[in-house]
Amino acid sequence: MRNILIAAVVSLLLSMAGTPLAIRLFSRRGIGQNIREEGPSGHYDKRGTPTMGGTVIVIAALIGYFSAHLMTFFSATTEPPTVSALLVLFLMTGLGLVGFLDDFIKIYKQRSLGLRSGAKALGQLVVGAVFAVLCVQFPNAYDITPAETRLSFLRDFGPSIGLVGFTIWVLFIIVGFSNAVNLTDGLDGLASGATGVVLASYVLIGNWQLRNSCTAALGPNCYVVRDPLDLAVVAAAVLGALVGFLWWNAPPAKIFMGDTGSLALGGVIAGLAFTTRTQLLLVVLAGLPVVITASVMIQVGFFKMTGKRVFRMAPLQHHFELKGWAETTIVVRFWLIAALCAASALGLFYLEWMPKQ
């Protein structure tokens, strides 16, 4: 618990203090957001707002996590970083670098599109494939690896799908959720708040899995998770960094996270889903990004089939903008939806522990 608090507080303070420094640095260097001409007209006022703020989130989270372990180095009980946590941080940082390249090209070439879709997808696939292969290695003393080649909901279930099948599944989830958070990042503070409730949920899930670990006591509902406590520390570190960033990203935003932040955040929640063995639960837990992504798929698919649109504009948040909703109204209401999705997922997670009459 101490590590969780240290990681959260350090990353929060670093992010809150570091973001205004990044705003001044990026503004001085002309690192501002380009706005798509076909987007809502209200977004034109945001042109030139500093972007690539995701770099602050990633750096603050990394420092927060390692600071927590550095504190224990000087205590009687040294707690070194675990493989599971390092793999999730690798996934976050790797996808953050892909997003950084995308943001950099947008700024350098002064256009709203950065990396070509093929190059961006390739970067996500390479980072995801490395994560997939490594997370079924490194067994601990109980022969538990960071992940298993099986599907999971509240825990692993069913037969193994093999390393190849598992790698394909990992890539599908990683690419899907990193792009889902990217699509959610369309209004000030929307992606930050929506991802924050998912990370807070994983702090609770990691703690609960630690208290009911099969390595401590075998039971009908115990969890076979390699490093539940340290995964909660990772979630807390990223959450702290995100809250500090949200202080400056809330409407009206002084800085945007850019693809650097959205891809990194999508990666970290996907990595936590695999290492806590809650892959399918993530669909409910991160319900808002899933719904927003579905709105884009429905819009594109329906338009190709009929030449007509279901929504005035996709992703879904822009549909409500064009209907005349105020940006803050959309953001707050979507935050509430994200919180309800997370609460529903936690309810499902704890449901099997409810007393049966």
Side-chain angles (χ1 to χ4, degrees), residues 291-304:
V291 169
I292 287 174
T293 303
S295 72
V296 175
M297 297 170 66
I298 291 170
Q299 183 85 325
V300 173
F302 194 78
F303 184 78
K304 286 184 176 180

Side-chain angles (χ1 to χ4, degrees), residues 88-118:
V88 175
L89 291 173
F90 160 77
L91 185 59
M92 176 187 73
T93 307
L95 291 178
L97 287 173
V98 175
F100 180 86
L101 289 174
D102 191 44
D103 288 333
F104 181 80
I105 291 172
K106 290 176 186 175
I107 295 162
Y108 180 74
K109 295 192 174 182
Q110 290 295 299
R111 65 188 192 192
S112 59
L113 297 175
L115 282 173
R116 295 185 181 276
S117 57

Side-chain angles (χ1 to χ4, degrees), residues 73 290 298 307 335:
F73 181 78
V290 170
I298 291 170
W335 280 354

Side-chain angles (χ1 to χ4, degrees), residues 182-248:
N182 194 8
L183 290 171
T184 305
D185 184 32
L187 300 179
D188 297 354
L190 180 56
S192 301
T195 312
V197 295
V198 178
L199 291 167
S201 300
Y202 273 121
V203 174
L204 298 176
I205 288 172
N207 267 292
W208 187 254
Q209 289 178 332
L210 173 69
R211 296 174 185 275
N212 298 278
S213 173
C214 293
T215 61
L218 289 175
N221 295 324
C222 66
Y223 299 99
V224 183
V225 177
R226 191 187 191 281
D227 307 298
L229 177 60
D230 213 25
L231 292 171
V233 174
V234 170
V238 183
L239 176 60
L242 194 57
V243 171
F245 177 79
L246 182 58
W247 182 268
W248 305 98

Side-chain angles (χ1 to χ4, degrees), residues 254-287:
K254 301 293 190 298
I255 187 171
F256 302 137
M257 69 171 65
D259 283 15
T260 307
S262 59
L263 294 188
L265 291 174
V268 77
I269 63 173
L272 288 168
F274 280 101
T275 49
T276 59
R277 318 296 176 91
T278 55
Q279 303 154 22
L280 296 176
L281 185 66
L282 182 61
V283 176
V284 182
L285 195 57

